[in-house]
Amino acid sequence: MKKRLIVGNWKMNGSLAANRALLEALRSGLDSLRCAVAVCVPAPYLAQTSQLLSGSDMAWGAQDVSAHEAGAYTGEVSAAMLKEFGVRYCIVGHSERRQYHSEADGLVAAKAQRALELGITPIVCVGETLAERDAGRTEATVTRQLAAVIEENAPRTADIVVAYEPVWAIGTGQTATPQQAQHVHALLRAQLGAAGGDAAQIAILYGGSMNAGNAAELLAQPDIDGGLIGGASLRAPDFLKIIAAAL
Ligand code: PEP
């Protein structure tokens, strides 16, 4: 059985002092990890995070990566730069990037490719808006988003992590029911299987207001392999409870 994976997405939060307190609390709260755990931090904090987590069982990651290798792309951070800071994971296609930075499926696929080239595992986010769900377009939306990444990265699909994050559930306190989430996860796993990979080995995370109270029920679903956690990952006691629910 593959290990479960719990990933914190700090979004644009943190400070040197707050990060230290949070990471030290996580390190001391975790004994030996039976599930994989990572935190995806803002790029300026990667150096600090790598120092504070080195020698621990926790991994760290970034929240975005440039689709370009290097050059005149002001403000962008390349996969090679992330690699220098020991990054293991990189979120790509988070709905906040799709929404506020107009990231289209093709760009997300290219970002996943850059990460894979450098041996960084892309956490590919897919998810429908409330309007899409209400219009009965949930399945069409998430499969379209994932198809772009599969097409661009076909031989390496087994090396990605997928995160199903219904947009209406992110940061809203409104979580998908375990049944709603399981339905989409099973669909995504079937799509990965049809693309030729060993879909059973690909981690599909749920994200969207996952918290200490609802994690166990979501993680009990057969196709939910872990979580991508925003708000609750900023509070050590809550994040530790979610990790405990995944063991
Ligand atoms: C996220 O940002 O990926 C997320 C799931 O946020 P939250 O847990 O706060 O809904």
Side-chain angles (χ1 to χ4, degrees):
M1 198 178 115
K2 65 179 163 297
K3 245 187 172 183
R4 289 175 178 277
L5 172 62
I6 300 293
V7 180
N9 172 18
W10 288 5
K11 310 194 192 210
M12 197 172 72
N13 293 296
S15 66
L16 291 173
N19 304 343
R20 174 176 286 278
L22 176 55
L23 293 172
E24 286 180 350
L26 292 176
R27 275 196 78 155
S28 61
L30 291 167
D31 306 325
S32 62
L33 281 179
R34 276 178 289 145
C35 80
V37 176
V39 287
C40 290
V41 308
Y45 296 138
L46 284 169
Q48 182 199 26
T49 302
S50 68
Q51 279 163 12
L52 290 173
L53 291 187
S54 72
S56 80
D57 289 335
M58 286 176 66
W60 53 95
Q63 300 172 9
D64 188 27
V65 63
S66 177
H68 304 285
E69 258 181 78
Y73 301 101
T74 302
E76 297 266 273
V77 177
S78 72
M81 293 170 186
L82 298 180
K83 192 71 186 172
E84 288 198 303
F85 289 93
V87 160
R88 185 175 311 167
Y89 298 99
C90 181
I91 297 171
V92 297
H94 191 282
S95 65
E96 288 153 12
R97 303 252 3 133
R98 293 181 191 260
Q99 188 180 351
Y100 306 135
H101 301 273
S102 306
E103 291 196 4
D105 296 341
L107 180 63
V108 174
K111 289 182 172 200
Q113 186 180 32
R114 283 284 170 249
L116 285 166
E117 280 168 3
L118 269 292
I120 295 170
T121 301
I123 300 175
V124 177
C125 298
V126 301
E128 81 286 2
T129 63
L130 189 56
E132 287 165 333
R133 174 162 283 267
D134 288 345
R137 298 209 323 266
T138 297
E139 299 188 1
T141 301
V142 299
T143 53
R144 188 204 74 228
Q145 292 171 332
L146 184 57
V149 173
I150 291 173
E151 276 162 31
E152 187 80 33
N153 299 284
R156 293 175 173 164
T157 306
D159 299 329
I160 70 172
V161 167
V162 177
Y164 169 54
E165 298 208 305
V167 179
W168 48 271
I170 295 178
T172 60
Q174 195 187 341
T175 317
T177 64
Q179 294 70 30
Q180 284 172 325
Q182 165 58 28
H183 175 77
V184 175
H185 280 234
L187 180 80
L188 295 172
R189 197 177 305 284
Q191 185 181 6
L192 290 162
D198 183 0
Q201 293 308 315
I202 298 176
I204 307 179
L205 315 181
Y206 169 79
S209 298
M210 189 184 265
N211 58 43
N214 60 29
E217 207 187 351
L218 285 159
L219 293 166
Q221 301 303 308
D223 286 296
I224 300 184
D225 304 312
L228 180 56
I229 294 105
S233 73
L234 297 170
R235 299 181 294 273
D238 292 14
F239 196 49
L240 288 167
K241 279 186 200 141
I242 295 171
I243 294 165
L247 297 179

